[in-house]
Amino acid sequence: MPILNRAAELQDEVTGWRRHIHERPELLFAVENTAAFVAEKLKEFGVDEIATGIGRTGVVGIIRGKGPGTRAIGLRADMDALPLTEITGKPYASKTAGKMHACGHDGHTAMLLGAAKYLAETRNFNGSVAVIFQPAEEGGGGGNLMVKDGMMERFGIEEVYGMHNMPGLPIGQFAIRKGPIMAATDEFTITIKGRGGHAAQPHRTIDPIAIGSQMVGNLQMIASRNVDPLRSVVVSVTKFIAGFAHNVIPNDAMIAGTVRTLDDEVRTLAETKLKQIVNGLAAAHGAEVDIVFNRNYPVTFNHATETGHAIQIASDIAGAANVNADIDPMMGGEDFSYMLNARPGAFIFIGNGDTAGLHNPAYDFNDEAISHGISYWVRLAEQRLGS
Ligand SMILES: [Zn+2]
Ligand SMILES: [Zn+2]
């Protein structure tokens, strides 16, 4: 089955919504206007129940099928933008300098609204579909907060699915894999407390810059000498802040960065080793050190059975040749991971064609993907809810 006729008919209307949202980007949890737009559309479609304020500014719409049953599946989109200034020059470009939809969440929200409209019109399924619109995917963990607010229990959601556009993957194609598909994104901040002094009398100091430099070098041993080369880990130091003059060794230095892993065992090993290396080097050189290690988004883990359903639906729509069912995992993070930790499900990529990359100021969601995305959502809901 190719894309659904009705999804193709919705193309222009959904494109309008997408561009409306694109012009009005909002950050993190402060997506009040986008959430209000979503809730208003759901109301217009005759969705049975609309819950707002879940995970602060998240919205859930419940669409009941014609058939009986209490089973519900969740389809999730994200609503937030990024703190970037858009350079696309498009007529519907962001109206707010310093904010833009550079990750395509405008497109995700619009496609899920399109699916909600279709499903509310047809209702060819048993039980109910929960359309989930979350805030704060780009940091803040809005997905986590929605789960903590009891969304899964409240609406009886038994399976949950997510979708993200992928620049470089042709329009009409999908990509997915069973198991880990996106990384855990942990963050560390190391404060080295040495003893400053005259740059010409280093022997009277405890030099936090010299010690910190050894830490930066030695942290690379985690990837090169601690973790099995066939398993994945990234340790990136992204900040090193110290000093203020050519002739003064400062008291302190601060180092920060991120650790990316694809399974819990390596995640824990990397954290343990990072602390050992940093504490060991500080002790060796007489400095004090403070380490803050924040476990941020967990691994986005696609459950085998549900990934099988996703592959089947994507293949029905796009043709099996247009579905990469074993894409390499990515070391970026995604807070849909919290929903997948709460319920079985799968996260799929949809082709965005030859566009600028995500988080790039020249990026724009490709509206040609809309009918493919709507078709995927609709067929997935109808198939999983047994019509
Ligand atoms: Zn993003
Ligand atoms: Zn994103």
Side-chain angles (χ1 to χ4, degrees):
M1 166 179 296
I3 59 166
L4 302 165
N5 289 338
R6 182 73 185 117
E9 282 167 28
L10 288 168
Q11 172 74 31
D12 287 350
E13 188 179 12
V14 177
T15 299
W17 302 339
R18 203 285 287 184
R19 294 180 180 187
H20 174 94
I21 299 166
H22 189 87
E23 281 184 349
R24 298 163 181 80
E26 297 176 295
L27 302 182
L28 296 171
F29 287 101
V31 292
E32 286 88 357
N33 294 319
T34 310
F37 178 81
V38 165
E40 181 194 306
K41 286 290 160 206
L42 294 177
K43 200 172 162 202
E44 208 178 288
F45 307 156
V47 165
D48 299 280
E49 192 182 338
I50 301 161
T52 58
I54 300 183
R56 288 203 231 168
T57 41
V59 180
V60 179
I62 302 296
I63 308 163
R64 297 203 178 86
K66 282 181 201 158
T70 52
R71 267 173 56 72
I73 71 159
L75 312 178
R76 170 274 199 181
D78 36 18
M79 298 188 286
D80 57 322
L82 283 159
L84 287 176
T85 294
E86 181 164 355
I87 59 166
T88 65
K90 298 266 170 81
Y92 52 85
S94 168
K95 288 176 174 167
T96 312
K99 293 182 192 178
M100 79 170 282
H101 272 289
C103 204
H105 300 183
D106 50 345
H108 303 163
T109 295
M111 288 192 292
L112 188 56
L113 280 175
K117 178 163 181 164
Y118 184 116
L119 291 166
E121 280 172 6
T122 52
R123 300 181 188 259
N124 287 324
F125 52 91
N126 304 317
S128 40
V129 175
V131 284
I132 303 165
F133 298 86
Q134 77 149 82
E137 193 289 316
E138 303 286 3
N144 188 24
L145 230 63
M146 290 186 88
V147 171
K148 281 189 176 159
D149 267 2
M151 169 182 77
M152 300 298 183
E153 298 77 13
R154 179 171 165 188
F155 303 110
I157 298 168
E158 293 178 10
E159 293 170 26
V160 68
Y161 296 87
M163 175 159 51
H164 205 294
N165 77 94
M166 179 181 272
L169 185 68
I171 289 288
Q173 295 195 9
F174 291 88
I176 192 168
R177 78 189 301 272
K178 287 178 187 167
I181 188 163
M182 308 264 317
T185 59
D186 298 332
E187 294 171 351
F188 59 86
T189 303
I190 300 161
T191 308
I192 306 157
K193 294 166 195 157
R195 187 173 65 231
H198 201 297
Q201 297 178 318
H203 58 293
R204 296 180 179 220
T205 71
I206 295 171
D207 183 349
I209 294 178
I211 297 166
S213 302
Q214 299 209 9
M215 287 176 186
V216 174
N218 269 265
L219 287 177
Q220 298 313 314
M221 297 291 269
I222 296 171
S224 69
R225 289 297 175 271
N226 296 135
V227 171
D228 181 335
L230 297 179
R231 295 167 82 178
S232 301
V233 65
V234 175
V235 180
S236 287
V237 173
T238 54
K239 289 189 199 175
F240 191 148
I241 299 170
F244 47 88
H246 282 83
N247 56 358
V248 179
I249 290 169
N251 281 322
D252 316 299
M254 190 275 274
I255 295 170
T258 183
V259 177
R260 307 294 174 102
T261 51
L262 292 173
D263 68 71
D264 276 342
E265 200 186 324
V266 175
R267 189 181 193 188
T268 300
L269 175 69
E271 178 178 353
T272 305
K273 279 291 173 190
L274 181 141
K275 288 176 177 170
Q276 278 176 0
I277 289 166
V278 169
N279 284 323
L281 282 167
H285 300 293
E288 280 178 42
V289 73
D290 178 61
I291 307 168
V292 177
F293 193 96
N294 266 336
R295 287 199 158 207
N296 199 17
Y297 295 173
V299 175
T300 303
F301 189 91
N302 274 343
H303 300 247
T305 305
E306 289 70 23
T307 305
H309 300 318
I311 291 167
Q312 186 211 315
I313 297 301
S315 304
D316 285 352
I317 293 162
N322 289 316
V323 179
N324 179 352
D326 194 21
I327 192 177
D328 285 340
M330 269 153 274
M331 300 313 278
E334 165 63 54
D335 96 335
F336 184 60
S337 50
Y338 291 104
M339 295 192 193
L340 286 178
N341 280 354
R343 291 293 182 272
F347 186 69
I348 198 166
F349 292 106
I350 182 169
N352 203 53
D354 185 19
T355 64
L358 300 174
H359 296 210
N360 184 305
Y363 170 84
D364 188 27
F365 179 81
N366 191 335
D367 292 317
E368 286 177 45
I370 286 172
S371 54
H372 303 275
I374 295 175
S375 298
Y376 172 79
W377 281 139
V378 166
R379 286 301 300 143
L380 181 68
E382 291 178 346
Q383 193 263 2
R384 291 308 305 137
L385 294 169
S387 76

